[in-house]
Amino acid sequence: AYNWGFDTQPQAGLNGRRRPIQQSFRGKRRRETMKKILGSTGALLLSVFLVVVPVQPATAAGTSPFYVGAFGGYTFSSEATWSFAFSDQFDADLQETWALGAKFGYAPPAFRFFAVELEYFYLKHDIDRSAGTSVTVESGDATLNNFMVNFLVRYPEGRIHPFLGFGLGVSSVDVSGTRTVLGAAQPLDDSDTSLAYQILLGVNVEINKNWSADVTYRWFGTDPEIHGGDVDYSTNMLTVGVNYHF
């Protein structure tokens, strides 16, 4: 949910007092839900860790432990709702987009069921006309540069490795375009950096000692503030990647 650049400073009421900006209840609920999901995912990963450690033999992995990779994919079911003062809230008409990214990872040979990754990926949504009570986005785009740390639990045996994980990081969100405020045309241009989070589910396939490929489903979200408004964004992605192990 994006407040894509609205000037939402408190306005003076009839009694001359400033009215504070009210944060979106929907944004609060989604952040609370996200905390529960991440907590549950972390608990699941920890449970798998505790179960697998005593029984998993520390034999050599088929591929080398360090790896770098590149991936690409496409988003679906992207949502952006933005809210600002005086209860003006509406959904952006986001167009789906390509995702491109790169990562560096390590899977310890002694704990082959576990991997950690540093990851970057890029998204750029076009925004079609979206109308609120007092503000309308005529057209624009939203660019997201995302820097994540991922924690994965994977099945280590054989050449096919299903995995489950979660990631935390930051998203740099930049919005540009045109808006109208009470009928007056204004530029739409603002940016923010905010906490980002994702859940990953996929499968990695070893090709040989140095190469592997993976297919991954991702749920990704972030909550920047643009011009004092609360932004609530999430998307789903399906990505395909290739990795070089060394």
Side-chain angles (χ1 to χ4, degrees):
Y2 276 92
N3 178 345
W4 295 113
F6 303 124
D7 296 320
T8 57
Q9 299 302 317
Q11 301 295 321
L14 295 177
N15 58 5
R17 296 180 179 178
R18 292 282 184 176
R19 292 196 289 176
I21 295 174
Q22 298 179 354
Q23 189 178 42
S24 163
F25 288 111
R26 179 176 176 179
K28 289 181 179 179
R29 288 197 300 268
R30 195 168 79 89
R31 281 190 290 274
E32 291 173 356
T33 301
M34 210 34 237
K35 289 179 182 178
K36 293 178 181 179
I37 292 174
L38 288 174
S40 300
T41 304
L44 176 61
L45 297 181
L46 178 60
S47 300
V48 173
F49 179 89
L50 294 176
V51 170
V52 176
V53 166
V55 301
Q56 178 59 48
T59 57
T63 53
S64 301
F66 291 98
Y67 58 93
V68 292
F71 59 89
Y74 205 71
T75 65
F76 62 95
S77 299
S78 299
E79 296 182 350
T81 302
W82 59 87
S83 310
F84 44 101
F86 318 119
S87 301
D88 199 353
Q89 174 178 301
F90 57 96
D91 295 329
D93 186 0
L94 291 182
Q95 298 300 302
E96 304 301 345
T97 186
W98 293 99
L100 295 173
K103 61 185 176 181
F104 170 78
Y106 177 63
F111 304 100
R112 294 184 296 123
F113 52 86
F114 176 76
V116 61
E117 298 177 342
L118 302 178
E119 177 183 84
Y120 163 81
F121 65 92
Y122 171 88
L123 300 170
K124 186 174 183 178
H125 291 279
D126 287 333
I127 310 171
D128 289 343
R129 190 176 190 275
S130 309
T133 303
S134 58
V135 181
T136 297
V137 176
E138 299 296 342
S139 64
D141 58 66
T143 301
L144 293 85
N145 290 283
N146 309 295
F147 303 86
M148 309 297 292
V149 180
N150 299 326
F151 302 92
L152 308 178
V153 169
R154 62 180 196 143
Y155 179 72
E157 299 300 325
R159 302 175 68 90
I160 300 176
H161 310 292
F163 62 85
L164 169 69
F166 71 95
L168 293 173
V170 295
S171 178
S172 176
V173 181
D174 183 81
V175 182
S176 61
T178 305
R179 59 177 175 164
T180 56
V181 180
L182 299 175
Q186 297 180 5
L188 177 61
D189 189 9
D190 202 2
S191 62
D192 188 33
T193 300
S194 59
L195 176 69
Y197 32 81
Q198 65 179 346
I199 295 174
L200 307 96
L201 177 65
V203 60
N204 173 268
V205 179
E206 294 180 10
I207 300 172
N208 56 38
K209 181 177 176 60
N210 294 112
W211 292 94
S212 70
D214 51 54
V215 178
T216 307
Y217 162 78
R218 303 162 185 262
W219 182 93
F220 174 81
T222 188
D223 299 280
E225 291 186 3
I226 305 295
H227 282 312
D230 182 63
V231 175
D232 190 6
Y233 168 84
S234 66
T235 190
N236 300 268
M237 287 177 275
L238 187 63
T239 61
V240 178
V242 62
N243 311 295
Y244 176 75
H245 299 255
F246 59 96

